[in-house]
Amino acid sequence: MNDIKDLFEDLPEPPESPTRHPALDETPALMALLARWVERGWLRALDRALAAFLHREVPEAPAPLLLAAALASHQLGRGHVCLDLAATLEAPDLALSLPPEGDDLSDPPPLPSEVLDGLTLADWEQALANPSLVANAAPGSTPLVHAPGPHGPRLYLRRYWQYEQEIRRHISARLGTSDEACRRKLQLTTGAARRPDTATAPKTLATALDALFPTTTELDWQKTACALAARSPFAVITGGPGTGKTTTVVKLLALLQAMALGRPDTASARALRIRLAAPTGKAAARLNESIAGQVKQLSLAELAGAVGQQGVDISTLRDSIPTEVTTLHRLLGSRPDTRHFRHHAGNPLALDALVIDEASMVDIEMMAAVLTALPARARLILLGDKDQLASVEAGAVLGDLCQRAEGGHYSAETADWLEAVTGTPIPAQYRDTDGQPLDQAIAMLRVSHRFDAQSGIGRLAEAVNRPLPDKRLAREKRRAVREVFGAEGKARYRDLARLPLSDAEDSGLDRLVVEGNPAGFSQRGQGRTDRRGDPVAPPLGYRHYLEMLRSKRPDESTFGESEARQPFDAWARAVLQAHGQFQLLCALRKGPWGIEGLNPRIGRALRRAGLLQASDLELEQGWFEGRPVLVTRNDYGLGLMNGDIGITLAVPDSRNAAQQPGRTLLRVAFPASDGSGSIKWVLPSRLQAVETVFAMTVHKSQGSEFTHTALLLPDAPNPILTRELVYTGITRARHWLTLVETGRGMLDEAVTREVAPSVRMSVVPSDTLFL
C-alpha cells in the first residue's frame, strides 16, 4: 500500500479547498473532525480526549498543536513513541491506523492528507511554541516535549520522552560513554574506587572459552557472542530462530560463575546472583524448560579446571547456574492498579546479572523500569531476534539497539581482542575503524541449527527478512519469496504448503484447521526426519488434540487432590502437548479474517467434524470442553501470565459424586510456568482476561513455537501487514508451515513494507552512544 488514498479510489473526489482546512485554524472544527475520526475507528477516543483536555487547560492553544498532540498519542497505540513531524507531512495518511479493521470505506471523513495540506513544518513547529504545554527537549512539567530526532523534529508525550532519556543514560553509563561513566573511570584510575569486575584476563578467558566450545578453524559466532558478553556490563545477543541464543547464554552463565568462583582471592570468590526473566509467562516457561535441560547436559569438568589455581567444584558450579525464569513484572514486583514497581532506583534489585530473553517484546516503559531498578554494577544481557515484531506497547528497544548488528562494526581493538580470546580472526566485513561503543557490545548469531539447506521455512524466513535498502529492489525481494514456493505457488520444499482461498466461505480453511492439510505437503508430510535424523510427525490440525482429549480421559470417578489427581494431570499434559502441534495465526483481530471471526468459525468446523459439543452461543462467548484459551493479562493471584495457554477439560464433580454420579465440572488446565510439568487447574469463573485461541494473532504468538503453524494473511491492505509480522509468523513454525492466502493475497505487499524507521526510538543517537 503506497498511498492510503488508493483505498478510497471508488469514492467521489472531495471538492478542492482554496484555503487551509478549518481544523487547522478553528478548535471547534478540529474537535468535530477528531470526533468523526474516533467514530470511524481511525483514531482512539483516548487520543481525542487528550486534545480536549489540553484545550480545556490552555484555551488559547492553537489547533495545529492540539492536532499534533492527538496524533502523538495515537502513535503510542501503534507501537511508536512519538510523532515525527516531517515524516507526517510527507505521508500524512500514515499518521492514522488506516484502514481500520472492519471499515467499509464508505462516506469517509477527511483524510489527514486533506487536513494537513498547506501546513508547513515551520508553521507546525511555530504552533508548538507554547511553553504552557510544550517544552523543548528539557526536564519540566509540560505534558508535551518537542525534541530533535534522527530525521527531523518530534513531538513526545513527556512520559515517553523521559523513558528514552532514562534508557539512554543507563546504557551510556554501562558502555562508558556518559559523563557519569567518564568521571567514574577517572576515579578508578586515581585509585578512588575499586574497578568494577567487567573484564577478564584474556588468557584465562580464552582457556575457559575453549573448554566450553569445540575447537574450529571457522568463526564461531556463539563463542564470539559469549566473549563479548563476558567483556561488557551491557550486552545484546541477537539472532534468528535456531541460532542458539539459549545455548550461548547457558554457556555464558557457566563462564561467569566459573570466573567468579575461581578467583584467586578466596575471600571474594562467591557465586554471582543471576536472575533470568522474560516479558511473558509463556516466554518464561519456554526459557525455563530450555535452560533447565541444557544446564543438566552441560559438560563442566574442563571449564571447572580452566579457572583458578585450585579449580572449581563441578557440583557447586552447576548449582550456581540459574534455571528458574520469572516474568519481568514479577521480578520488579508489580503493584496492582498502578504503573509502579516495588523495585526502583531507591530499592534496586538484589542481583549481579540479569538476563532478559525475548527482549524484542520489551517495550520502552518496561525497559526503562528494568534499567532504573538495576544496580549500577550489575550486568544486563538482552537476548532476542531483532527482526521479530516489537512489543504491542510503544517502543522497539531491541530493534533500535540492533540497527547496525548485521554489519558487526567491530573496532580494531575489539576485533584483535576477540581473535586473542576465541582463536579465530574477525572477517574484514565485520570490522569498522569507526565502530561505535554500542557496536562493541552486540553480537549477532548467524547460523541456524534448526533449519538446514532443505528447510523451506528457513529459506522463506531468510527471503522475507532480506533487507530492502532501495525501493527498486522490492521486485527482486518479491521474486525471491515466490521462488521459495516454486512455480504456480507449488512449494519446492517438503515443509512448506500454500493454501489459496477463493473467498470467506472456502471450505479449504475448515479442512486445514481440522485435519492439518497434509495433502498440501509433498508425500502428505510422510517420511521426513529432522537434523538429528529423528522422524517428524506429519502435519496435524486440531483434530489431534481433541481426539487425545477423548482417548486419554482417565477412568477415575473422583477428581481429588495431590496424588489422587495425578491421572488427570497426566491427561492434561498430554492434551496440552497435543494442542501445541498446530496453531492458526492471523494478522487481525476484527473481520472475517481476524480472531473475532475465525474463532467461532473454527469452533463450528470442529463441531461439524464431531470433535466439539457446543452451541453457537457457547462458541461465541461461553465455556465448553476442549476450548483453548489464551491469558491476555497477568493475574498474580492465580499465578497466570499474559500469553499462557490452557485447555478447558471436564472433570468429575467430587462434591456430588454420590447423589449425581457421572456429573462433571469444567476446569481449565494450564502448564506450570516453572518447567516442573505440573498442572494448574482453574475454575473458568475465575478467569477474567482470557480469549478463545483456535486463532491467535501473530503478536500474541511471540515467545511460542508450534510444530505446524498456519499463517493466514487477509485479503485487503492493512498497516499492520509488514515484513516483521510475516517473518514473526513464519518463524513460529518448527517443522511445518502452511501459508493461507485469502482472495487477492497480501504476501507480496507485506514483505516489502517495514515498520516505519522514522518513528523509531532515539535511544541510540550519534551524540550519546555512538561516540
Side-chain angles (χ1 to χ4, degrees):
M1 180 175 57
N2 298 320
D3 192 345
I4 298 295
K5 288 182 177 179
D6 293 342
L7 300 170
F8 304 93
E9 57 186 2
D10 296 330
L11 300 174
E13 290 289 334
E16 292 188 8
S17 174
T19 59
R20 296 204 317 178
H21 195 283
L24 292 179
D25 298 307
E26 305 168 12
T27 301
L30 173 64
M31 292 303 171
L33 173 66
L34 296 182
R36 289 193 66 191
W37 283 354
V38 170
E39 182 181 1
R40 198 55 181 264
W42 294 9
L43 194 74
R44 301 181 303 173
L46 177 65
D47 308 326
R48 181 187 182 278
L50 174 63
F53 168 77
L54 297 179
H55 175 57
R56 287 196 303 271
E57 293 298 308
V58 183
E60 68 275 13
L65 187 159
L66 301 178
L67 174 60
L71 294 178
S73 173
H74 188 66
Q75 301 317 298
L76 298 176
R78 305 175 65 200
H80 306 315
V81 298
C82 64
L83 178 72
D84 188 311
L85 299 176
T88 301
L89 291 178
E90 290 177 7
D93 296 329
L94 296 180
L96 297 182
S97 302
L98 297 175
E101 299 174 26
D103 193 339
D104 61 8
L105 305 182
S106 62
D107 188 27
L111 291 166
S113 54
E114 300 170 43
V115 177
L116 294 175
D117 186 28
L119 182 68
T120 66
L121 182 59
D123 291 340
W124 214 353
E125 289 198 277
Q126 183 178 358
L128 295 177
N130 187 310
S132 298
L133 296 179
V134 185
N136 288 319
S141 58
T142 59
L144 304 172
V145 175
H146 182 209
H151 306 288
R154 296 173 159 193
L155 184 67
Y156 290 82
L157 271 63
R158 173 167 292 280
R159 184 154 54 89
Y160 289 87
W161 180 79
Q162 290 175 334
Y163 292 150
E164 275 199 5
Q165 304 314 303
E166 284 295 303
I167 292 175
R168 292 170 63 169
R169 182 173 65 84
H170 285 289
I171 294 180
S172 295
R174 282 181 163 72
L175 294 176
T177 60
S178 67
D179 291 341
E180 175 188 349
C182 292
R183 286 194 298 270
R184 188 167 63 247
K185 284 184 176 180
L186 181 62
Q187 290 178 333
L188 294 172
T189 58
T190 58
R194 191 172 73 89
R195 184 178 181 84
D197 183 22
T198 59
T200 305
K203 184 176 180 180
T204 304
L205 181 59
T207 304
L209 287 170
D210 288 341
L212 285 168
F213 294 91
T215 303
T216 176
T217 57
E218 297 188 6
L219 179 62
D220 185 337
W221 282 108
Q222 292 187 14
K223 188 176 186 180
T224 300
C226 197
L228 282 174
R231 181 193 192 205
S232 172
F234 173 78
V236 179
I237 301 175
T238 185
T243 52
K245 295 184 292 294
T246 305
T247 300
T248 302
V249 81
V250 167
K251 292 183 177 181
L252 171 63
L253 297 181
L255 173 67
L256 294 176
Q257 292 291 31
M259 292 294 185
L261 293 170
R263 288 174 179 162
D265 179 9
T266 56
S268 63
R270 65 170 180 84
L272 300 174
R273 298 167 298 173
I274 301 176
R275 298 294 302 273
L276 309 175
T280 68
K282 182 71 173 179
R286 277 194 59 202
L287 180 63
N288 195 103
E289 183 178 353
S290 179
I291 287 275
Q294 293 202 33
V295 169
K296 289 180 181 178
Q297 299 173 6
L298 193 61
S299 177
L300 297 174
E302 191 174 349
L303 174 64
V307 296
Q309 296 178 344
Q310 304 299 322
V312 174
D313 180 71
I314 296 177
S315 61
T316 301
L317 176 57
R318 193 180 303 277
D319 291 343
S320 70
I321 304 173
T323 57
E324 181 179 346
V325 187
T326 186
T327 64
L328 288 172
H329 283 85
R330 190 180 295 278
L331 175 74
L332 294 177
S334 292
R335 291 181 172 177
D337 303 320
T338 75
R339 308 184 79 99
H340 303 293
F341 297 97
R342 186 165 54 86
H343 289 288
H344 45 74
N347 181 31
L349 294 161
L351 49 75
D352 299 304
L354 174 63
V355 176
I356 301 178
D357 191 29
E358 296 289 353
S360 63
M361 301 168 65
V362 182
D363 60 85
I364 184 174
E365 181 176 5
M366 177 57 75
M367 187 62 75
V370 169
L371 286 165
T372 300
L374 204 61
R377 297 172 60 85
R379 294 176 181 269
L380 177 61
I381 302 158
L382 303 181
L383 301 178
D385 186 344
K386 68 180 180 62
D387 297 310
Q388 275 192 200
L389 279 170
S391 166
V392 294
E393 303 297 334
V397 181
L398 185 73
D400 292 335
L401 291 172
C402 294
Q403 290 179 45
R404 289 159 53 97
E406 194 81 36
H409 298 284
Y410 299 124
S411 65
E413 179 187 359
T414 298
D416 292 345
W417 182 84
L418 284 172
E419 181 174 357
V421 298
T422 65
T424 51
I426 301 297
Q429 67 261 37
Y430 302 117
R431 292 171 174 256
D432 185 352
T433 55
D434 296 323
Q436 309 301 329
L438 181 62
D439 298 327
Q440 318 313 306
I442 297 177
M444 180 175 172
L445 306 182
R446 303 164 193 269
V447 179
S448 176
H449 302 280
R450 179 188 304 175
F451 305 127
D452 57 24
Q454 300 303 314
S455 168
I457 298 173
R459 290 296 182 90
L460 182 59
E462 181 182 0
V464 168
N465 204 33
R466 179 181 297 182
L468 201 62
D470 192 322
K471 291 185 177 180
R472 292 175 298 179
L473 300 177
R475 182 178 299 177
E476 294 183 17
K477 181 171 184 178
R478 293 188 183 109
R479 184 185 300 116
V481 171
R482 286 194 294 266
E483 285 178 352
V484 176
F485 286 101
E488 299 180 357
K490 184 175 179 60
R492 297 173 53 195
Y493 297 90
R494 296 185 63 184
D495 54 350
L496 285 182
R498 198 168 189 171
L499 178 63
L501 301 179
S502 58
D503 53 45
E505 303 303 321
D506 194 320
S507 61
L509 179 63
D510 297 346
R511 291 192 295 272
L512 167 68
V513 296
V514 175
E515 307 294 348
N517 188 37
F521 295 89
S522 174
Q523 300 179 23
R524 298 184 63 85
Q526 300 290 336
R528 273 193 65 205
T529 58
D530 61 19
R531 290 176 63 94
R532 296 176 297 182
D534 297 329
V536 174
L540 301 169
Y542 288 134
R543 175 185 291 277
H544 178 58
Y545 93 88
L546 290 170
E547 288 186 341
M548 183 74 68
L549 185 156
R550 291 182 176 180
S551 63
K552 298 293 185 179
R553 189 189 302 275
D555 295 329
E556 280 75 5
S557 59
T558 58
F559 180 70
E561 300 292 337
S562 188
E563 295 183 1
R565 188 175 288 182
Q566 288 184 3
F568 292 96
D569 287 351
W571 175 44
R573 279 192 293 271
V575 174
L576 285 163
Q577 183 179 13
H579 179 265
Q581 297 296 302
F582 175 73
Q583 182 64 57
L584 177 69
L585 303 180
C586 58
L588 309 177
R589 294 192 61 85
K590 298 180 180 179
W593 304 121
I595 61 171
E596 292 181 5
L598 288 170
N599 275 314
R601 171 179 176 170
I602 295 170
R604 290 191 293 270
L606 294 171
R607 184 177 62 189
R608 286 194 299 272
L611 299 168
L612 286 181
Q613 294 181 355
S615 66
D616 286 343
L617 180 61
E618 288 172 330
L619 290 176
E620 292 278 357
Q621 55 187 14
W623 288 94
F624 52 90
E625 185 173 39
R627 180 192 181 193
V629 295
L630 175 76
V631 177
T632 59
R633 188 173 64 241
N634 293 342
D635 188 328
Y636 295 100
L638 295 176
L640 297 175
M641 299 293 114
N642 181 16
D644 287 350
I645 292 178
I647 305 292
T648 310
L649 301 173
V651 299
D653 182 1
S654 304
R655 298 170 301 177
N656 300 302
Q659 295 81 4
Q660 295 178 297
R663 177 183 170 87
T664 61
L665 295 173
L666 294 179
R667 295 289 185 274
V668 186
F670 290 91
S673 60
D674 57 4
S676 64
S678 60
I679 297 295
K680 187 187 303 291
W681 297 90
V682 183
L683 282 166
S685 59
R686 299 191 64 190
L687 295 171
Q688 302 302 314
V690 295
E691 60 188 22
T692 303
V693 72
F694 288 127
M696 178 192 296
T697 63
V698 175
H699 273 95
K700 286 292 187 181
S701 73
Q702 293 183 85
S704 303
E705 67 176 18
F706 311 96
T707 305
H708 178 197
T709 297
L711 175 61
L712 185 151
L713 301 179
D715 60 353
N718 193 286
I720 202 172
L721 283 177
T722 61
R723 171 190 64 82
E724 291 87 348
L725 181 135
V726 175
Y727 171 79
T728 302
I730 290 169
T731 54
R732 299 311 91 202
R734 186 168 185 83
H735 291 304
W736 306 101
L737 174 70
T738 299
L739 180 69
V740 185
E741 294 185 282
T742 60
R744 291 162 48 191
M746 295 302 300
L747 181 61
D748 283 353
E749 179 80 19
V751 298
T752 53
R753 186 192 300 122
E754 299 181 342
V755 175
S758 60
V759 290
R760 279 177 169 162
M761 290 189 310
S762 184
V763 296
V764 287
S766 58
D767 62 342
T768 302
L769 301 184
F770 293 158
L771 297 179

